[in-house]
Every structure is written in structure tokens, then in C-alpha cells.
Amino acid sequence: MAAPAFLPELATQVVVPVAAVVGIAFAVLQWVLVSKVKLSPEPRRGDGSSAKSGAGPSEYLIEEEEGLNEHNVVVKCAEIQNAISEGATSFLFTEYKYVGLFMGIFAVLIFLFLGSVEGFSTKSQPCHYSKGKTCKPALANALFSTIAFVLGAVTSLVSGFLGMKIATYANARTTLEARKGVGKAFITAFRSGAVMGFLLAASGLFVLYIAINLFGIYYGDDWEGLYEAITGYGLGGSSMALFGRVGGGIYTKAADVGADLVGKVERNIPEDDPRNPAVIADNVGDNVGDIAGMGSDLFGSYAESSCAALVVASISSFGINHEFTPMLYPLLVSSVGIIACLITTLFATDFFEIKAVDEIEPALKKQLIISTAVMTVGIALVSWLGLPYTFTIFNFGAQKTVYNWQLFLCVAVGLWAGLVIGFVTEYYTSNAYSPVQDVADSCRTGAATNVIFGLALGYKSVIIPIFAIAFSIFLSFSLAAMYGVAVAALGMLSTIATGLAIDAYGPISDNAGGIAEMAGMSHRIRERTDALDAAGNTTAAIGKGFAIGSAALVSLALFGAFVSRAEIQTVDVLTPKVFIGLIVGAMLPYWFSAMTMKSVGSAALKMVEEVRRQFNTIPGLMEGTTKPDYATCVKISTDASIKEMIPPGALVMLTPLIVGILFGVETLSGVLAGALVSGVQIAISASNTGGAWDNAKKYIEAGASEHARTLGPKGSDPHKAAVIGDTIGDPLKDTSGPSLNILIKLMAVESLVFAPFFATHGGILFKWL
């Protein structure tokens, strides 16, 4: 037998929860620091929570030369922030009502399907992998999988909701800090993003750790059953993320497209102008789509990659010999990740101060590089202390001998592939580089050439990320089979706290700019918030690149676990059963994208009509003497997104069930492979095309270079063509693209959870034929 790991079981039982608690404590600390920025001249005003503590008026020293009536500006900011916060909260509660109903129905389905595998018997059954041993009954598996599903779902919803709360809490504070300079505003926005990043990473880890220990009380030595039940956690997390991403994406883009088309193109008023009736809905949308949706999405990826790794480990030597520390290697990697990200965050908020606008984007990029470098050292430590020198990993029926340094390479290759994908995404979507500048230049000849250039850029941007994913899959699979792929995905997500902080920073800055415009603050302040927002746009694209890359690795690992669990010997593309699945699976991302794009289109149509109606019928609206009816626009977005998120959600959730029950596990394995292969390509190209169009428009608006000034100013023909491109790109980059990564991994994790049922009762049609 191999030498045990250095780290004893007790140490692991301490390290994981302590890292999670440190992460949560750090998030709370960042929140306290953000709350020191007061949103009221007197302590009694503001949004309630912020006004309770604080110093007196000395807090409100601002630049003298701004010459603004400080009292009125602060009050106005507080009012706008309140409206955005209320809109976002009411939308999420409405969404959660529907999602809660779905969660209840699906939980019952999981219990019934998995319980029926052994005819609801309460007798112990022979183990699936460890022949000759007895394991807990299928009914217990059904019950615990259902509990894990609900746990994952609730954690996903809560983390999305808290992220949205902190973002709406911080947006006006970032605006007010922008009066003191760009550095102060950056720190406020970044700290708020860090609250969400650390809360989500730490709570995801903590809940998973608690679930493993509590389930272990019942399961005892049956680790095979225990970790199979834990996969429900990943399914819960991702199924909520799907609705959050699709619903939030439809909401935000319906408002954005409506506001842009009528406000900017037809009426020639600036973005976020308070006269635009859709402006509050647009700002609410940033929070429910880009913050709550993104949070749930990355939480789902994290939960699934952990579950995929744990399932494979439980049937490898770790699980067979009951070695607790190596078994929890995925959780140890995540624990070190939280600490690594904590160190990295201090570089942005405490060690270096940003003094000029052009330092913002490099500071955010440094976050990615520092977190990756620190994490590489962390992984080496964990692999050395937490793993035996040699062990065996389950490899489709056989056991493969693996060394601890090989597993370190697997995690590291995932981590560094994530960085490569991030930087390639940045190259194709940032207006500092030639691809976006070429797209901007193509606007000289109108919107059509802009669209052609943008599409070409998106397709081209797929090449290097796919090679990076392919390389990491080949290396990690060669070294440690499917377990290697699962921990490579975990490596990519190990710096999730920093990734999310950078990601949430974008919408917070976007909102801050909107509030500055609506509160009538000076042009200089708007310039600062625009600079923060432009950097945030690029980092949001980087975040989406990470999410898509990790989804590809996660779904492949889940696919491998599913194939093993469903007892498929080989997935042979030449058999008709598999090939029909493959070709149908490859079609699903197109069907799904069609649904989400059309949903945004039809919701935007209603929004455009409403905004036009208000401009045409409300006297004094264009002059700014009367207020528009913001509430109607918020209601249009809410109603449309709730109604429209159900069909795409149903497509993703029902496909594995229908295929598994009617056609069996072999066809389902084809569907999963097809969806993975085509979904990744469409997701990357859609996200990058949309991001490039958005930044091409910002490039022209900013007029920072000689080239940009020849295309501008705002309102010129090239600028109008750029706005049209940006509007087409909106649903691509914020609805269809990001939702596709959930489609590929959710179908895989759902197939894994239901694998025992499909293997026993599936393939009804082929049994009849």
C-alpha cells in the first residue's frame, strides 16, 4: 500500500472550514469598508442600512472645483440607487417564486426516479463498483440526492441574491467616490465585487463540506453512495443558474436595446439620460443579469467540478481505502484558492493605488496574473501535503497508477489555460488592440460592414481558446484520466473569488456611470465612471471566457463520470444510436440560442414601443420638465423575462430525461458530446462578438486617439452604425452566449444524477424495436 498523505484527517477537517470562514469574514470586512462611504448628508437619510453608522459631515469633503450643490447631488444619488435596488429585488423575488416551484417539482422527480431503481426497496444493495461489498439502498441515494439538489439550488439563489444586494448598495457609493478621483471610485467598485466573489466561493465550499460530513454520518463506509448523492449539489446549483442567467439576460437586454434604439439613435440623447423612460430598467438589468446571473453560473461550475472530481475519487484508491485527506483534495484546492485570492485582492485595494484612468485595466489584468501565480504555489503545496506519492485513479473500469506531481500538473494546466483564455478574450474585445479598432473603423461605411467585421472577429476568437482547452484536456486526461480533467476544471475555477470580483466590478461601474448621468453630475465625473466602465466591459468578457472554458472541462469530466456510472463500455460514433444523439446534441445550442435571441427581440420590441409612446405623449419629457414613467418599463422587462425564461429552461432540463428514458444511455452520451462540442464554439464567438461591438462603440465615443476622433463624435454616422452593432451584440454577449455554458454542463450533471435510473429503465423505444 502507498504511503499516506502528510496532512492527517484532522488537519483537513480544520483547514477546509477555516478557509471558508476566512473567506466569508474577508467579504464582510470589504462590505464594512464600502459602507463607510455615506449616501446621505445627514445620518438619517439613505437606504437605511448605510446610515446607521458613520462620522459626521467631515466625511463629505470633495474636490472644491466641482462646484456642485453637494447636498442635492447626494440626495439624488440615494434616490436613484433606491429605485435600482427596489427594481432588482422585486424582479428577483418574482423570478424566485417561479424557480422555487420548479425546484419543488424537480426535487420530487429526482426522488421518484432514483428511488424506483430498486423498486423503492429499503434493503442494502451490492455496490456498483466495489464488487462483493454491500452499499446503502437506492432509496437512501434518492433521498440524499434530493437533499443535495435543494442545498445546491438554495446556495445558488442566495449567492446570486447577495451579490445583487451588494452591487446595488455600492453603485451610488462608487459615483460619489468618483468626485474624489478615479482611484477612490475604483477601490469602492472593486471591494464591492470582492464581497460577492468571496461570499460565493466561501459559502459554496462551506455548504459542500458540511453536506459531505452530515451525509457521512448515515453513509459510514459507503463512500461510493455518499459521493454519488453529493452530485445533486452540482445539479441544484446549475439548474438555478440557468434560470438566473436566461431570465436576467432577457431582462437586462430588453431594457438596454429599448433604451438605446429610441434614446440614442432616434432621439439623440446620451446614454443613461434621466429623460429616457427605460433608464432605470436598464440599470436594474445590469444587476440581475450580470451580477446575480453570473454569480449563480460560476457557483454552478464550481459545484459541478467539485462533484465530478469527488465521484471519480470515490471509486479510485482514495475512496476504496477510505483516505479522507486525498479524497477531499478538490476541496483543499478550493480552500487554498480563497486564501490566494485574498492575498491578490490586497494588491488592488491596499498595496497599490490607481492614480490615472489608464492604470485601471492593467490593475485588473494584474489581478488575474497575481492570483494565477500565487495559486500555482498553493496547488503545489496542497498536492505535496494532501496526496500520497502514488495512488490509483478509476479509468473506465481499470485503475490507473498516478503520482502526486501529475495531479499538480493537471490542476496547474487548467489554471493557466484559464489565464490564456482570459487574455485572448481581452485581445479580441478590448478597444486597446487592433481587432476592435478594425471593427470601429468598419463603421465608416455603415452598420452592415460593422456587423460583418464583428461576426468575423467572433469566429476568429474561438481558435486559441479551443486549442488551450484541447491541450489541457489531452494533458490532464493522459496523466490522470477523467479525474485529471475534473481537477483541471477546478484549477480554472480555483481563483473564482478574484474572477468574480473583477466580473462584478463591471456592472457596478456601469451603474455608477448611469447614476452620475441621472444625478446631473459634471462631465469630468462621467468621464471617470466611463473609464471604469470600459475596463469593466473587457473584464466582463474575460469572466465569460473563464466561465465557458471551465464549463467545457466540467462537462467533459461529468460526461466521463456518467459514461462510467451508466456502464457504457465505449461511446462508438459509428453506431447509429450514438451518432443520432451526436447530431441532435450539436443542434441543441442553436435551438437554445434561437429561443433566447427571439425572447430578447420580442421583449425589446415592447420596450421600444413603450419608450416611443412616452416620448410622443408625455408633454415636457424631452425638455426635462416632467419625469418619465420608469415603472412601466421595469414591469415590461420583468413580465417578459419571467414568461420567456421557461421554454429555454425546459429545453435544457427535459432533453436528458426524454432522451435517457426513450432512447437510452448510449444515445444520451451522443447528445452530451454533441452539445459540448458545438456549444463551446457558439458561446465563445457570441460573447466575443458582442463584447467587440460594445467596445467599438465606446472607442468611438471616447475619442481618445486620432483614429477614434475621425470616426466620432457621438451622433455621427459611424457612431450610429456602431450603436446598431452594439445593440445586435447585446443579446449575443449577455443572454445567449453566457447561457450556453450552463446548457452544456447542466445536461451533463443531470444525466449523471439520473444515470442509475437510465441504466436500469431507460431506452424504452429501442427495447420495443
Side-chain angles (χ1 to χ4, degrees), residues 683-705:
I684 296 173
S685 65
S687 293
N688 290 350
T689 293
W693 276 327
D694 192 349
N695 273 340
K697 175 202 73 176
K698 283 199 164 61
Y699 175 74
I700 294 172
E701 286 175 353
S705 68

Side-chain angles (χ1 to χ4, degrees), residues 34-355:
V34 170
S35 67
K36 285 188 173 166
V37 180
K38 290 291 165 285
L39 249 193
S40 52
E42 305 88 21
R44 61 187 163 73
R45 290 190 65 93
D47 64 352
S49 59
S50 61
K52 303 261 190 314
S53 63
S58 61
E59 279 280 339
Y60 313 110
L61 293 168
I62 56 162
E63 292 181 356
E64 293 297 322
E65 70 255 36
E66 284 304 340
L68 287 167
N69 181 337
E70 200 256 342
H71 181 281
N72 287 354
V73 167
V74 176
V75 170
K76 196 89 188 281
C77 284
E79 279 171 11
I80 298 163
Q81 184 230 24
N82 232 356
I84 294 171
S85 184
E86 279 169 19
T89 307
S90 79
F91 166 73
L92 285 182
F93 277 134
T94 313
E95 180 185 70
Y96 291 170
K97 263 188 256 172
Y98 289 88
V99 167
L101 179 69
F102 157 80
M103 189 164 82
I105 295 167
F106 210 75
V108 172
L109 272 184
I110 293 174
F111 181 72
L112 292 177
F113 277 29
L114 294 182
S116 68
V117 171
E118 299 283 330
F120 296 98
S121 155
T122 51
K123 290 195 188 77
S124 291
Q125 54 179 5
C127 287
H128 186 76
Y129 296 103
S130 311
K131 304 296 180 207
K133 288 187 180 174
T134 53
C135 286
K136 299 291 181 192
L139 193 63
N141 243 9
L143 178 65
F144 282 102
S145 292
T146 308
I147 295 169
F149 168 77
V150 173
L151 266 179
V154 170
T155 311
S156 179
L157 293 181
V158 169
S159 48
F161 184 76
L162 289 176
M164 180 281 296
K165 270 296 186 202
I166 180 66
T168 52
Y169 181 80
N171 49 17
R173 288 171 167 78
T174 304
T175 310
L176 294 176
E177 285 292 273
R179 299 177 304 175
K180 300 176 188 171
V182 76
K184 291 268 191 269
F186 171 81
I187 287 177
T188 303
F190 191 81
R191 279 206 166 116
S192 318
V195 175
M196 179 187 178
F198 283 92
L199 260 186
L200 195 138
S203 57
L205 175 66
F206 195 65
V207 174
L208 182 57
Y209 169 80
I210 296 288
I212 289 170
N213 277 292
L214 290 181
F215 286 17
I217 296 169
Y218 169 78
Y219 275 100
D221 280 350
D222 177 13
W223 284 17
E224 188 184 300
L226 164 62
Y227 291 103
E228 193 171 293
I230 286 286
T231 51
Y233 184 70
L235 176 60
S238 244
S239 51
M240 296 305 107
L242 175 71
F243 291 106
R245 252 306 188 202
V246 175
I250 293 168
Y251 184 107
T252 176
K253 289 306 114 181
D256 199 357
V257 171
D260 280 2
L261 282 181
V262 184
K264 287 204 280 202
V265 178
E266 292 178 13
R267 294 280 167 168
N268 215 2
I269 57 175
E271 191 162 355
D272 296 317
D273 192 296
R275 292 170 292 177
N276 193 328
V279 70
I280 294 285
D282 185 6
N283 280 293
V284 169
D286 290 336
N287 293 297
V288 295
D290 295 346
I291 300 258
M294 184 68 178
S296 293
D297 178 2
L298 280 173
F299 167 75
S301 280
Y302 163 73
E304 281 161 339
S305 56
S306 302
C307 292
L310 290 168
V311 165
V312 182
S314 71
I315 50 177
S316 303
S317 63
F318 303 154
I320 297 163
N321 304 330
H322 294 97
E323 298 172 47
F324 187 78
T325 299
M327 185 67 221
L328 287 198
Y329 178 70
L331 275 73
L332 286 170
V333 169
S334 305
S335 307
V336 174
I338 290 173
I339 306 302
C341 292
L342 194 151
I343 296 164
T344 309
T345 303
L346 296 176
F347 277 93
T349 56
D350 297 77
F351 298 160
F352 298 107
E353 196 184 338
I354 285 179
K355 293 191 170 62

Side-chain angles (χ1 to χ4, degrees), residues 595-662:
M595 282 176 158
T596 49
M597 295 284 286
K598 184 123 188 297
S599 300
V600 172
S602 53
L605 198 68
K606 289 183 194 140
M607 188 67 79
V608 166
E609 283 165 357
E610 172 59 25
V611 175
R612 273 184 190 149
R613 183 194 68 75
Q614 290 198 29
F615 273 125
N616 293 334
T617 59
I618 298 177
L621 184 56
M622 269 306 278
E623 292 72 39
T625 52
T626 48
K627 267 187 166 180
D629 175 10
Y630 296 128
T632 308
C633 290
V634 170
K635 190 175 183 328
I636 287 173
S637 260
T638 303
D639 293 350
S641 55
I642 297 295
K643 186 171 123 256
E644 301 282 358
M645 77 180 179
I646 294 167
L651 173 72
V652 178
M653 298 302 289
L654 295 177
T655 299
L657 292 179
I658 293 167
V659 174
I661 293 167
L662 296 181

